[in-house]
Amino acid sequence: MPPLPHEGTPATDVKIAVRRLGKVFSTGAGSVRALEDITLDVRDGEFLCLLGPSGCGKTTLLRVMAGLEKPSSGTLEMRHDDPSRSLSAVVFQDYSVFPWKTIRNNVIFPLLQTGVRRSRARELADHWLAQLDLAGFEDAYPDTVSGGMKQRVAIARALAVQPELLLMDEPLAALDAQLRLLLQEKLLDLWQANQNSVVFVTHSIDEALLLGDRIAVMSARPGRIATVIDVPFDRPRDPDEIRASPDFATLRDEIWHRLRRELQPA
Amino acid sequence: MTAAIRDQGSVSSSDAGGVAAAGGGWRSIKPGLAETDPRGYARRRRLTERGVAIAVPVALVALWQYLAAAGVLESNYFPAPTTIAESWAELVASGVYQESVLASLQRIVAGYLLGGLTAVLLGLVIGSVRLLRVALEPTISALYTVPKLAILPLLLLIFGLGETSKILLVALTCFFVVLINTIDAVSGVSSRYHDVGRSCGASRWATLWHITLPAALPQILTGMRIASGLAVIVIVGAEFVAADAGLGFLVWNSWNLGVPEHMYVGIVSISLIGVAFGLVLRGVQWLLTPWNR
Ligand SMILES: Nc1ncnc2c1ncn2[C@@H]1O[C@H](COP(=O)(O)OP(=O)(O)OP(=O)(O)O)[C@@H](O)[C@H]1O
Ligand SMILES: [Mg+2]
């Protein structure tokens, strides 16, 4: 095990401590270095956005956090505060909604795994589906609804668990611009009400600035943390006000140049 | 009102489906009958389709009857449908027919359920445990290719002429088809669905019941359908040589007795059983996979 570069045990307000984490995928053709030397803290109750060019390893990092992938080197530690509550829930990039379950039963499934009674799970499912504007579609099968709706089912499925940590992989990517704005506001509200930690992967600088407390910008493959930017806007945030503020434009330019450098290494 | 793709306000210069002389023109896309009268269209189409599905076999039988009556067909080999129907009625009256159908059906259903259900259970386990799958797959493939009728003598040697050998033959036939399809289906379940299960902390049992089984079910049912056809085929073969009742016996015995009409009664009944079996399985499929309806 490589020595930890910083503090030996993570600070108390840290939810996830990632230390010198690397991930190499070996495939038939050769090996891909997806992540290299990632050191990053996700703080308690923080909304952290992961931003980076396509293929830089955002999904991979999220999957390691979700316990779906093991690192090739380095460590990742997470604190589970309340054993009666789920540690994490994931919104997958490709939704991964079960086609054989109705939309309601898709949302119920993880709840049943955490020991919630069926009647209660059903109530919760309907509540969260309504929150995501899916009321009336509870009994439909996913393949009969649009891609954007499936994505919202995936979000409802993760939110309904009310985990300590929400891992979301481009959860708003398949939505049209208007709905995306609405859901960004809704996510902000929900997060401010529930105070869980969120790791939120996105391609959109605006979205990251609007939602995040901090933005971790990743470099092109092998993925590293290029820089972590503190977002200075106060909470509760008003999306319209933020978009109009001069800070917003400055930060946006800064991140954009940073990302551009990553895309053109020359 | 018709809907057509054209710029608002511009004037159409061409007639209904035509292309204007100068080479340009409007391609107009309008609702067809299926859109303007969807219910009527669907009903008419359903009636037409059912109609032809029934009319074609009826026409073939009528042609057969005509050719037999005209003496074109050798009546020793190809008796007229009416002759066959008459001997069918005779067989029913004497009770031989019911006995034969019942004997075959019992063997088919018992063997099918025994072999098919065992295969689904084993397939779910073998398909989900990689080591088991790797260890057993070559053996299973090798056994699958053995024509099951070829082991009938062995079964007869072990279990004698009774029902057991025939039921086991059907069971073995169905077992391997369903097993191979189930293993294939289970190991082919997309890992993204298992990722959802893992991220929710689903137990082994919950994963099997809520993810693996439903994801694999369509292909498992395909295997079950193929097996249903094979069950009918193999029982007839077994009854040819190793039975004193059943539709296969009826056909074989009519050759010995030189009664071709009975042979046809048996053949037609066998194929009807096959068709009915297939329909039942379609119903099962419809019930069990509502998301594919
Ligand atoms: N299971 C795997 N096997 C082999 N290589 C993989 C695997 N998963 C990811 N990779 C590789 O790791 C790299 C990072 O992939 P990842 O999916 O994490 O990127 P990403 O940042 O999420 O991209 P995007 O924004 O397009 O979703 C890619 O080069 C990819 O090819
Ligand atoms: Mg990704």
Side-chain angles (χ1 to χ4, degrees):
Chain A
M1 209 167 86
L4 298 176
H6 307 305
E7 60 272 34
T9 43
T12 43
D13 67 335
V14 170
K15 187 77 189 161
I16 311 179
V18 186
R19 294 289 174 270
R20 306 210 61 171
L21 186 129
K23 178 71 191 175
V24 181
F25 288 107
S26 348
T27 53
S31 60
V32 182
R33 287 190 312 178
L35 296 174
E36 199 167 87
D37 209 13
I38 302 267
T39 294
L40 179 71
D41 284 340
V42 181
R43 297 176 193 152
D44 252 339
E46 141 175 270
F47 201 119
L48 179 80
C49 288
L50 272 182
L51 196 66
S54 184
C56 74
K58 303 181 294 295
T59 297
T60 307
L61 181 56
L62 208 75
R63 285 175 60 84
V64 177
M65 290 177 174
L68 296 171
E69 210 91 63
K70 282 191 181 142
S72 310
S73 60
T75 58
L76 183 148
E77 285 172 52
M78 300 169 88
R79 217 183 57 238
H80 194 174
D81 294 313
D82 181 357
S84 67
R85 200 171 158 194
S86 291
L87 175 57
S88 64
V90 189
V91 179
F92 291 90
Q93 189 168 14
D94 56 4
Y95 330 148
S96 301
V97 171
F98 300 132
W100 53 86
K101 284 183 182 293
T102 59
I103 286 177
R104 177 189 287 121
N105 283 336
N106 261 286
V107 181
I108 285 181
F109 173 72
L111 293 169
L112 294 182
Q113 306 316 309
T114 56
V116 179
R117 283 204 338 278
R118 183 167 278 277
S119 56
R120 175 81 186 124
R122 199 187 146 104
E123 275 168 32
L124 280 171
D126 286 0
H127 166 77
W128 287 100
L129 285 172
Q131 288 284 308
L132 286 151
D133 268 333
L134 287 166
F137 290 94
E138 292 91 349
D139 293 315
Y141 282 99
D143 284 348
T144 63
V145 304
S146 73
M149 289 164 85
K150 274 188 227 180
Q151 190 158 35
R152 279 180 280 152
V153 175
I155 299 173
R157 180 169 69 181
L159 290 177
V161 176
Q162 298 200 269
E164 291 180 10
L165 178 67
L166 254 177
L167 303 170
M168 299 203 260
D169 201 347
E170 302 188 34
L172 307 181
L175 307 177
D176 61 69
Q178 295 84 294
L179 192 57
R180 197 173 171 140
L181 289 182
L182 287 176
L183 274 179
Q184 284 169 356
E185 289 178 25
K186 180 146 270 172
L187 273 180
L188 266 185
D189 288 348
L190 292 173
W191 171 75
Q192 274 156 11
N194 287 311
Q195 289 304 319
N196 38 17
S197 313
V198 177
V199 179
F200 188 100
V201 174
T202 177
H203 273 139
S204 155
I205 301 175
D206 287 22
E207 191 167 83
L209 280 171
L210 198 61
L211 296 174
D213 289 313
R214 292 189 304 152
I215 302 174
V217 181
M218 290 179 70
S219 64
R221 205 172 33 207
R224 301 157 183 269
I225 302 292
T227 178
V228 179
I229 292 166
D230 282 304
V231 183
F233 308 120
D234 292 331
R235 307 219 183 239
R237 290 185 182 169
D238 174 4
D240 294 326
E241 217 169 85
I242 287 175
R243 265 188 285 268
S245 77
D247 274 358
F248 184 78
T250 322
L251 275 170
R252 200 180 163 194
D253 273 356
E254 193 186 319
I255 298 172
W256 171 234
H257 287 300
R258 187 77 228 203
L259 275 175
R260 240 217 337 230
R261 237 180 302 151
E262 292 306 333
L263 289 172
Q264 301 165 326
Chain B
M1 272 254 295
T2 60
I5 296 178
R6 54 177 60 146
D7 290 331
Q8 281 295 315
S10 61
V11 182
S12 168
S13 59
S14 68
D15 51 6
V19 173
W26 296 103
R27 176 179 168 197
S28 104
I29 300 174
K30 297 174 184 165
L33 261 183
E35 285 73 29
T36 49
D37 180 16
R39 281 165 150 262
Y41 181 82
R43 188 168 45 83
R44 276 194 300 279
R45 193 163 81 166
R46 214 166 36 238
L47 280 180
T48 321
E49 285 175 356
R50 292 234 175 108
V52 292
I54 294 168
V56 168
V58 167
L60 286 175
V61 171
L63 180 68
W64 181 357
Q65 179 72 35
Y66 170 76
L67 292 177
V72 181
L73 293 175
E74 173 63 63
S75 68
N76 278 337
Y77 305 146
F78 306 106
T82 45
T83 321
I84 297 173
E86 275 163 29
S87 53
W88 199 322
E90 280 164 26
L91 282 172
V92 170
S94 68
V96 173
Y97 183 71
Q98 292 89 318
E99 188 199 338
S100 309
V101 171
L102 202 65
S104 295
L105 266 186
Q106 274 170 352
R107 292 166 188 149
I108 292 174
V109 172
Y112 179 77
L113 290 179
L114 177 67
L117 297 183
T118 322
V120 171
L121 289 179
L122 273 179
L124 283 174
V125 175
I126 297 174
S128 355
V129 183
R130 193 186 156 82
L131 192 62
L132 269 182
R133 176 158 58 89
V134 178
L136 295 177
E137 225 165 22
T139 316
I140 291 169
S141 309
L143 290 175
Y144 167 64
T145 43
V146 174
K148 296 305 166 300
L149 215 45
I151 58 167
L152 179 61
L154 181 64
L155 290 173
L156 291 174
L157 190 67
I158 302 173
F159 298 101
L161 267 171
E163 291 300 294
T164 316
S165 50
K166 286 179 279 288
I167 291 176
L168 275 183
L169 183 72
V170 175
L172 280 172
T173 306
C174 300
F175 178 79
F176 284 102
V177 183
V178 177
L179 184 66
I180 284 191
N181 271 285
T182 307
I183 294 176
D184 211 48
V186 168
S187 56
V189 174
S190 168
S191 64
R192 44 189 257 204
Y193 297 129
H194 286 301
D195 285 347
V196 177
R198 280 170 66 199
S199 72
C200 303
S203 66
R204 241 169 196 278
W205 169 248
T207 307
L208 192 67
W209 183 250
H210 288 282
I211 298 174
T212 311
L213 184 61
L217 201 53
Q219 199 187 332
I220 294 178
L221 288 173
T222 304
M224 296 284 278
R225 262 175 58 193
I226 300 172
S228 76
L230 292 178
V232 175
I233 292 170
V234 81
I235 198 58
V236 171
E239 285 172 349
F240 277 177
V241 292
D244 47 15
L247 288 167
F249 171 74
L250 181 71
V251 172
W252 192 262
N253 202 36
S254 0
W255 168 60
N256 285 331
L257 301 177
V259 198
E261 299 88 49
H262 289 183
M263 217 182 264
Y264 281 95
V265 172
I267 294 172
V268 173
S269 303
I270 291 162
S271 90
L272 286 181
I273 287 182
V275 170
F277 210 169
L279 284 178
V280 168
L281 280 170
R282 268 187 192 284
V284 171
Q285 200 163 19
W286 190 84
L287 279 177
L288 291 184
T289 57
W291 62 94
N292 278 342
R293 269 175 211 168

